Amino acid sequence: MASERKDATNNRASMSMKRNNSFSFEDAGHDAGALSPLRQARGPATSAQLMKNPQGPPLDYSFLEIKNIEELREVMPRSGYRKCPPDNLEDPATGLPGPPNPLKEEWAKPPRDDLQTNAIKLGNNQISALPPASFHPILREVLERPRYLSWIDLSFNLLEEVPQVLVNYQRLSVVYLHANRIQKLSQARMLAELTNLRSLTMHGNPCEQTRGYRLRLAGMLPKLRSLDFTAITAVDRERANAFEAANQARGAKAADGD
């Protein structure tokens, strides 16, 4: 088992050495002339904003056969600029610094010190859960400012639930959860706590078969502007709000009957 684990780690490491720090929307499945999902949600950034807070490309950990979020400690992103890795690995037995960290040699310094990376791509892996006890420390290790996380791609994984840990990142405006194994549409209601959320994908999950899927989701998330890469129109919003109000009224009536 140890040798298999080592081989898998070496394979991911060899893939990461081919990293390319130029990010294109074609790689992400978007039109090259189109605005990024983040800019679609918030509008184009002004020159003054970009000068003050220059945005780096997303950390791209997609297609690396990652099963556990802690494996991000073992591999460099395919593109993007992660936080400088520690000089030494931690000894799991003592918690003290152990052997030299091989990622330190692969690490590339960003072209400017104030470059901010607020997006991470974890799609097309084998992630089945995001435990808070692991997710928070890992983000602190790979991002300089994890609380500024605004865009996350978790598509094409093995998630069976909407990760509750996401609600701790209040600046999230784009969340991709499509093509997972999420069964219950009602779990998406927790994402209403993300007051900046503007774009969400949930298609390709079993919950997409829920009756009134789109109306329900839009009703749960009143500030959402795009669902499954399709804009929520004014008519859509009116219908969704009415649908949500009717559901809440039925729920209140049922509670009174109990």
Side-chain angles (χ1 to χ4, degrees), residues 185 207-220 227 239-240 243 247:
L185 190 64
C207 64
E208 187 181 9
Q209 303 304 314
T210 303
R211 183 178 179 182
Y213 161 81
R214 186 173 174 84
L215 282 178
R216 287 178 183 271
L217 268 180
M220 292 176 193
L227 176 59
R239 292 180 61 204
F243 192 86
N247 279 341

Side-chain angles (χ1 to χ4, degrees), residues 85-96:
D87 293 334
N88 296 85
L89 298 173
E90 181 181 292
D91 187 325
T94 64
L96 298 174

Side-chain angles (χ1 to χ4, degrees), residues 44-188:
T46 65
S47 298
Q49 288 172 330
L50 289 176
M51 288 293 290
K52 184 178 180 181
N53 299 304
Q55 298 294 309
L59 288 185
D60 187 359
Y61 288 99
S62 60
F63 295 99
L64 291 178
E65 301 181 4
I66 294 170
K67 297 180 180 180
N68 189 309
I69 196 68
E70 292 184 356
E71 293 176 30
L72 268 62
R73 291 192 174 107
E74 304 170 3
V75 62
M76 292 294 288
R78 300 170 70 229
S79 64
Y81 299 97
R82 65 150 284 169
K83 185 177 178 180
C84 182
D87 293 334
N88 296 85
L89 298 173
E90 181 181 292
D91 187 325
T94 64
L96 298 174
N101 188 347
L103 294 187
K104 191 64 180 288
E105 296 182 4
E106 294 185 50
W107 181 69
K109 185 177 180 180
R112 49 188 294 179
D113 292 337
D114 58 351
L115 195 68
Q116 294 186 19
T117 297
N118 301 328
I120 187 167
K121 297 173 69 175
L122 294 165
N124 290 275
N125 283 299
Q126 300 169 38
I127 300 170
S128 59
L130 295 180
S134 301
F135 189 72
H136 296 316
I138 289 295
L139 279 198
R140 287 196 295 269
E141 289 186 27
V142 301
L143 294 175
E144 290 286 354
R145 297 182 176 183
R147 66 190 183 92
Y148 282 82
L149 182 68
S150 59
W151 189 98
I152 187 168
D153 180 2
L154 290 162
S155 62
F156 293 96
N157 273 288
L158 304 176
L159 295 170
E160 296 184 358
E161 298 180 348
V162 175
Q164 189 169 5
V165 70
L166 296 180
V167 303
N168 292 279
Y169 297 88
Q170 285 295 305
R171 286 178 170 82
L172 275 173
S173 62
V174 177
V175 175
Y176 292 163
L177 291 170
H178 57 278
N180 274 280
R181 299 179 177 181
I182 299 171
Q183 299 280 343
K184 296 181 179 180
L185 190 64
S186 59
Q187 290 181 348

